[in-house]
Amino acid sequence: MLFSRRLLQLFVGLTAYGFAIALMVRAGIGVAPWDVLSQGLSQHTGLSFGTVTFVTSLVVLLLWIPLRQRPRFGTLANTLMIGPVADLGLHVLPQQTVWWAQGLTFAGGLLLLAVASGLYIGADFGPGPRDGLMLGLHARLGWRVGVARTVIEVTVLAAGWLLGGQVGVGTAAEALLIGPLVAVTLPLFARRRVATSVAVPARASSSV
């Protein structure tokens, strides 16, 4: 795959990822664990959702240091782009309050999230901050990837819920469906070696 095409795929994927998160937030029926945490922290700090997502990504990157993980270009792009794009999406998208509109908005966000994940992971510029944390725990502590993912997401979900983040049917739907959906989209966009070796991201967070 040409470098320029991979680079375009990365940026399109991260942009779509940010808007997908905004759609799911505006649906108002629950969001993914890391976004629950961002919502809770946003409520208590007065910072925007996207700003909190960005700061959280920076903190997670600091946790890479003892795990001896090295960020790549895609890691930094993920950190810098997803939060601001999510804020832009939240600025232009209306909050949904009618049940059928909430369901359609969430479904659209979830499908866009899966496509966005396939795009940015398939570009093969490195994992997002949260994905790298999961993989670092696997590499350095010997935790299975599934165990690391579960421990991380349960922890941030509990913290976000205690802070007032939005937990609901959408949270469960994202947890159950994003893995199978990304398993479909990733091979469509990935370089051959990536399609068989990259784990479904912990956030897909999606920034990533």
Side-chain angles (χ1 to χ4, degrees), residues 5 42 57 60 70 72 77 82 93 101-102 115 143 166 175 182 185-186 197 200 205:
R5 178 181 171 185
S42 178
S57 295
V60 172
R70 294 184 179 181
R72 294 173 59 193
I82 289 180
L93 294 169
Q102 290 177 300
V115 172
W143 293 12
Q166 189 181 89
V182 174
T185 62
L186 180 56
S197 63
V200 173
S205 208

Side-chain angles (χ1 to χ4, degrees), residues 11-26:
F11 288 131
V12 170
L14 292 175
T15 301
Y17 201 107
F19 271 100
I21 291 174
L23 279 167
M24 294 165 73
V25 170
R26 287 302 188 214

Side-chain angles (χ1 to χ4, degrees), residues 1 3 6 9-10 72-74 118-127 186 189-191 193-195 197-198:
M1 187 186 297
F3 178 83
R6 290 173 54 215
Q9 181 174 316
L10 173 70
R72 294 173 59 193
F73 177 76
L119 283 167
Y120 94 79
I121 297 171
D124 194 26
F125 280 103
L186 180 56
F189 303 109
R191 292 198 294 172
R193 70 177 184 85
V194 179
S197 63
V198 177

Side-chain angles (χ1 to χ4, degrees), residues 30 53 65 102 111 121 139 207:
T53 298
I65 297 174
Q102 290 177 300
L111 291 174
I121 297 171
S207 217

Side-chain angles (χ1 to χ4, degrees), residues 163-190:
L163 290 170
Q166 189 181 89
V167 178
V169 64
T171 308
E174 194 274 348
L176 292 172
L177 297 176
I178 192 59
L181 288 172
V182 174
V184 172
T185 62
L186 180 56
L188 300 177
F189 303 109

Side-chain angles (χ1 to χ4, degrees), residues 10-153:
L10 173 70
F11 288 131
V12 170
L14 292 175
T15 301
Y17 201 107
F19 271 100
I21 291 174
L23 279 167
M24 294 165 73
V25 170
R26 287 302 188 214
I29 58 173
V31 291
W34 282 101
D35 298 327
V36 173
L37 179 62
S38 291
Q39 284 183 325
L41 289 172
S42 178
Q43 292 178 24
H44 285 270
T45 62
L47 298 173
S48 71
F49 176 91
T51 300
V52 171
T53 298
F54 168 70
V55 172
T56 302
S57 295
L58 292 179
V59 172
V60 172
L61 280 179
L62 291 177
L63 298 177
W64 283 35
I65 297 174
L67 296 174
R68 300 179 184 176
Q69 291 286 96
R70 294 184 179 181
R72 294 173 59 193
F73 177 76
T75 309
L76 300 178
N78 184 302
T79 301
L80 293 171
M81 287 185 62
I82 289 180
V85 174
D87 266 352
L88 176 62
L90 290 171
H91 179 72
V92 300
L93 294 169
Q95 181 66 47
Q96 302 298 329
T97 57
V98 180
W99 67 268
W100 61 266
Q102 290 177 300
L104 288 176
T105 300
F106 184 87
L110 186 61
L111 291 174
L112 182 60
L113 192 73
V115 172
S117 298
L119 283 167
Y120 94 79
I121 297 171
D124 194 26
F125 280 103
R130 295 155 184 81
D131 310 334
L133 177 61
M134 174 186 68
L135 297 173
L137 290 171
H138 167 68
R140 297 298 170 184
L141 301 183
W143 293 12
R144 288 182 296 176
V145 172
V147 172
R149 176 178 177 172
T150 299
V151 169
I152 292 169
E153 295 202 348

